[in-house]
Amino acid sequence: MSVLLRFAHAVDSLNDWVGRIVKWLILLVTLISAGNALWRYVLGESSNAGLEIQWYLFGAVFLLAAGDTLTHNGHVRIDFIYGRLSRRGQILIDIFGTLLFLLPFTALIIWFSWPMFMLAWQSGEMSPDAGGLLRWPVKLLIPVGFGLLALQGVAELIKHAAALCEEPSA
Amino acid sequence: MSMEWMAPAMFAGLVLVLLLGYPVAFSLAANGLIFGIIGLKLGFLDMSLMQALPERVLGIMANQTLLAIPFFTFMGLILERSGMAEDLLESVGQLFGAIRGGLAYAVIFVGALLAATTGVVAASVIAMGLISLPIMMRYGYDARLATGVIAASGTLAQIIPPSLVLIVLADQLGVSVGALYQGALVPSLVLTGLYVLFVWLVTMFKPAAAPALPLSARPLRGKALWGSALRAIVPPLLLIFLVLGTIFLGWATPTEGGAMGATGALLLAWARRRLPLALLKQALNTTTRLSSFVMFILIGSTVFSLIFRGVNGDLWVEHLLTGLPGGTLGFLIVVNLLVFVLAFFLDFFEIAFIIIPLLAPVAQKLGIDLIWFGVLIGINMQTSFMHPPFGFALFYLRSVAPKEIKTTDIYRGAIPFVLIQLVMVVLVIAFPDIASSAKPKALSSGVIEVPMEQDGYGDYYLPKEWR
């Protein structure tokens, strides 16, 4: 169990570290977007690279931070029933949901998105718009983001199982 | 075997799975996948449908409209802590304090002003709960009136442009955010007016519930009073111009307006030396997590609706809703009741991402103007913030209200304002012109469809017929 728990804590720190870094991209994308609007107003022209980098960055934020958000219970639930359960009941639902909902879903997306990335990487796919950006980085974000989320799912599973062992089965 | 049973079963499964309490995003996705597998096994669906999923995720990433969510959230969080709301409440409270119900009017005025600045409820409610509520209680306001007016005025942030609710609704209805903003302008001001009217009626029939401030509580007079009020009002007016002005003049997309507002809020906070690093980090953190959970709900609901449509769920819903007695009016009544009831359990992101995509095509088929429909739903969703016991505005208010205010007071205080919101829903249905977008000229000159859809991926995210 202790090996598993150590793995879980390593995943925790990994996603914590990722979360700490990507949050600064929010500030960056805010400034870029405001800059784009000013630029267009002042110079009367807009750059496709400037527009595309906005959604590249935002995609990076919400995909890469998904694991960290999971650790902090940041993905909203409908706690109408969940909120009234005992701690043990909540843990059981979380284990059930992680095994049957989260992990299959993330695995499927990783499985299907990897070929999409490989294709873009090998063909050097570019944005169809003039002056646009290379496509593979943004396609790589999908398997990486869902990978981080899946890893965190496994870590949560381990932590929950450990908590269940400690919790008296009353 | 026919697949007619699949859509209702899937819908029932959705309700069950959501009630379980596992995070909504993954429950939605898993429900879609489970029925996807069943559909594959029974030969109703094709594998290519599943393989389209990563493209859908990419389409969601490329969505320029939803990019406004982090900007407005970030802006709201910075404003919440930078003291702008506090300054406003104090000076406007002084300005209105001399008349009966003055503090309540000040709360409504400041709530509307903050609402026009940003699109986030928490910021206004928390600020007003911290500043105005203790003053109102000290000078003898009825606790129910005080808490109700604060929660309702804070909730105005979700209907007065630039509100997040309207952005998300515009995206899901496939209409322009600018047009929805224009449609919501008059109804949101009427709603604000109704709150004022309600407070006025209370001062008429129960003057003790909302007394004027005594002279001792109003140290500022004459020029000094107006000076302080002016100093407090100018920064938010600047921000309102920066965000709404640039959007309505067509200088910026709503997304860029949000980014400029956030930048402006940062500059204001920085100029007032109210932007310590810890605060900035905290705001970025909250914004990041909110963005992540919202976008993942959207991904989850996309998985769900991809499969749901694959088994003709859209046709089932359409059949169900167009067959209602009373035609269009029957549809509107049912939809509004549905949203009102669901708002007890779901927050507005969930309603917008799960329910609206099912309703929009039906509304369109019935010949309903989708912009007007969006405004109507937006007003109805106001109630989701005010519903006891789960309304977010009440929840935020409880977290900052003094202990001597009972939670039941907060709940009961909310009721008249929920009723006013429902009256507004009825008004918009009875007088559709107040929220109509039937001014194509004003619109085309006011809002330029700047490069929102420049990217080829913009359309992947929903099939054309659903946009």
Side-chain angles (χ1 to χ4, degrees):
Chain A
M1 201 69 197
S2 72
V3 181
L4 288 175
L5 270 177
R6 234 179 304 154
F7 168 77
H9 291 138
V11 173
D12 280 354
S13 353
L14 171 69
N15 269 322
D16 183 63
W17 178 77
V18 172
R20 260 172 222 269
I21 294 179
V22 296
K23 71 164 185 257
W24 290 101
L25 298 183
I26 292 272
L27 184 62
L28 187 63
V29 69
T30 306
L31 298 177
I32 289 177
S33 182
N36 276 339
L38 276 180
W39 185 265
R40 194 180 55 241
Y41 183 64
V42 174
L43 296 179
E45 59 185 53
S46 66
S47 117
N48 282 321
L51 289 170
E52 287 183 10
I53 194 70
Q54 292 180 43
W55 65 265
Y56 277 38
L57 290 174
F58 182 52
V61 170
F62 78 78
L63 284 171
L64 300 182
D68 188 44
T69 307
L70 187 69
T71 331
H72 292 92
N73 196 15
H75 290 284
V76 288
R77 322 162 171 267
I78 294 174
D79 54 2
F80 192 61
I81 294 173
Y82 184 88
R84 288 158 205 224
L85 294 177
S86 65
R87 182 72 201 123
R88 194 181 159 79
Q90 294 182 342
I91 292 175
L92 283 173
I93 283 190
D94 281 338
I95 291 178
F96 175 84
T98 309
L99 276 175
L100 267 82
F101 297 175
L102 178 70
L103 292 178
F105 167 53
T106 47
L108 190 85
I109 297 280
I110 296 168
W111 180 256
F112 282 139
S113 63
W114 186 255
M116 184 173 78
F117 155 69
M118 284 306 283
L119 199 68
W121 163 259
Q122 281 159 357
S123 68
E125 187 195 352
M126 297 286 294
S127 152
D129 297 305
L133 302 173
L134 264 177
R135 274 291 182 257
W136 66 262
V138 81
K139 293 190 171 175
L140 181 59
L141 285 174
I142 300 175
V144 172
F146 277 84
L148 286 169
L149 180 60
L151 269 180
Q152 193 62 50
V154 174
E156 295 300 305
L157 208 57
I158 295 169
K159 285 187 281 179
H160 283 137
L164 211 56
C165 294
E166 283 165 25
E167 196 98 345
S169 55
Chain B
M1 188 164 58
S2 89
M3 64 176 180
E4 266 170 25
W5 59 274
M6 283 280 283
M10 215 177 149
F11 196 77
L14 176 70
V15 173
L16 251 155
V17 155
L18 286 181
L19 278 179
L20 204 59
Y22 196 69
V24 172
F26 314 125
S27 306
L28 270 165
N31 190 51
L33 292 182
I34 291 167
F35 281 89
I37 291 166
I38 297 176
L40 276 175
K41 285 265 175 258
L42 296 178
F44 298 150
L45 299 172
D46 194 67
M47 197 59 190
S48 61
L49 201 62
M50 299 285 224
Q51 279 161 345
L53 281 177
E55 294 284 354
R56 294 302 176 100
V57 177
L58 200 63
I60 291 172
M61 292 165 74
N63 183 317
Q64 299 276 350
T65 308
L66 297 176
L67 191 54
I69 294 175
F71 296 158
F72 281 109
T73 310
F74 184 43
M75 176 184 183
L77 289 165
I78 293 292
L79 285 182
E80 178 189 328
R81 304 301 173 81
S82 68
M84 192 179 85
E86 282 80 351
D87 294 353
L88 260 177
L89 282 167
E90 262 155 28
S91 54
V92 176
Q94 291 282 315
L95 201 61
F96 288 8
I99 51 174
R100 220 191 272 159
L103 281 177
Y105 296 133
V107 162
I108 297 173
F109 177 73
V110 172
L113 207 59
L114 289 174
T117 320
T118 180
V120 186
V121 167
S124 329
V125 172
I126 288 174
M128 297 195 287
L130 280 174
I131 297 170
S132 301
L133 191 55
I135 306 179
M136 288 165 112
M137 297 316 292
R138 196 180 320 143
Y139 295 106
Y141 266 67
D142 178 65
R144 275 175 270 166
L145 176 69
T147 53
V149 81
I150 287 174
S153 306
T155 306
L156 284 173
Q158 293 298 21
I159 191 68
I160 296 182
S163 95
L164 272 187
V165 168
L166 294 177
I167 291 172
V168 172
L169 279 175
D171 178 69
Q172 292 294 304
L173 290 167
V175 299
S176 110
V177 178
L180 199 55
Y181 279 178
Q182 292 206 336
L185 211 50
V186 174
S188 58
L189 292 179
V190 173
L191 185 63
T192 313
L194 289 178
Y195 291 164
V196 171
L197 185 68
F198 174 72
V199 171
W200 182 76
L201 286 175
V202 170
T203 60
M204 285 291 123
F205 292 101
K206 252 179 83 184
L213 283 188
L215 273 179
S216 60
R218 292 184 277 122
L220 292 177
R221 295 282 134 70
K223 260 194 192 152
L225 175 59
W226 286 97
S228 94
L230 217 58
R231 266 197 305 281
I233 287 176
V234 167
L237 285 183
L238 279 178
L239 281 179
I240 290 173
F241 173 75
L242 202 59
V243 181
L244 280 186
T246 54
I247 295 173
F248 283 144
L249 287 171
W251 295 356
T253 62
T255 303
E256 290 165 343
M260 292 207 285
T263 310
L266 279 172
L267 288 176
L268 271 178
W270 180 69
R272 294 166 162 219
R273 302 184 195 291
R274 281 167 175 169
L275 190 68
L277 190 63
L279 166 68
L280 181 63
K281 278 186 178 172
Q282 198 192 4
L284 288 170
N285 234 338
T286 311
T287 309
T288 302
R289 291 199 187 134
L290 182 127
S291 306
S292 193
F293 96 65
V294 170
M295 298 309 278
F296 267 84
I297 291 181
L298 184 55
I299 293 175
S301 80
T302 305
V303 176
F304 174 81
S305 51
L306 188 72
I307 308 291
F308 192 63
R309 257 172 279 143
V311 299
N312 287 340
D314 47 344
L315 298 179
W316 175 64
V317 172
E318 192 183 307
H319 179 75
L320 224 59
L321 290 176
T322 47
L324 291 169
T328 307
L329 188 64
F331 168 77
L332 288 174
I333 292 173
V334 168
V335 164
N336 275 295
L337 284 176
L338 183 75
V339 170
F340 180 73
V341 171
L342 282 176
F344 278 100
F345 312 102
L346 305 180
D347 72 23
F348 78 86
F349 284 120
E350 293 155 0
I351 296 178
F353 290 145
I354 304 171
I355 307 298
I356 300 304
L358 297 178
L359 299 179
V362 185
Q364 198 159 28
K365 199 150 266 182
L366 287 169
I368 296 170
D369 173 14
L370 285 184
I371 292 169
W372 175 82
F373 187 64
V375 175
L376 186 69
I377 300 288
I379 294 170
N380 196 331
M381 278 192 194
Q382 294 255 294
T383 61
S384 79
F385 290 87
M386 297 283 294
H387 276 316
F390 298 118
F392 271 106
L394 308 184
F395 185 68
Y396 294 134
L397 187 57
R398 176 68 277 177
S399 67
V400 295
K403 284 203 180 56
E404 59 269 24
I405 291 184
K406 282 183 287 183
T407 306
T408 47
D409 283 338
I410 297 181
Y411 289 167
R412 289 173 64 183
I415 292 169
F417 291 93
V418 172
L419 292 178
I420 295 174
Q421 289 163 350
L422 290 180
V423 166
M424 196 61 217
V425 170
V426 175
L427 280 180
V428 171
I429 294 180
F431 306 99
D433 283 348
I434 57 175
S436 116
S437 63
K439 304 156 207 131
K441 272 182 204 144
L443 212 67
S444 56
S445 68
V447 181
I448 299 173
E449 298 300 321
V450 220
M452 308 280 285
E453 299 291 353
Q454 274 207 349
D455 196 275
Y457 290 103
D459 288 329
Y460 280 178
Y461 142 73
L462 277 181
K464 283 249 159 50
E465 64 272 21
W466 276 74
R467 292 235 96 201

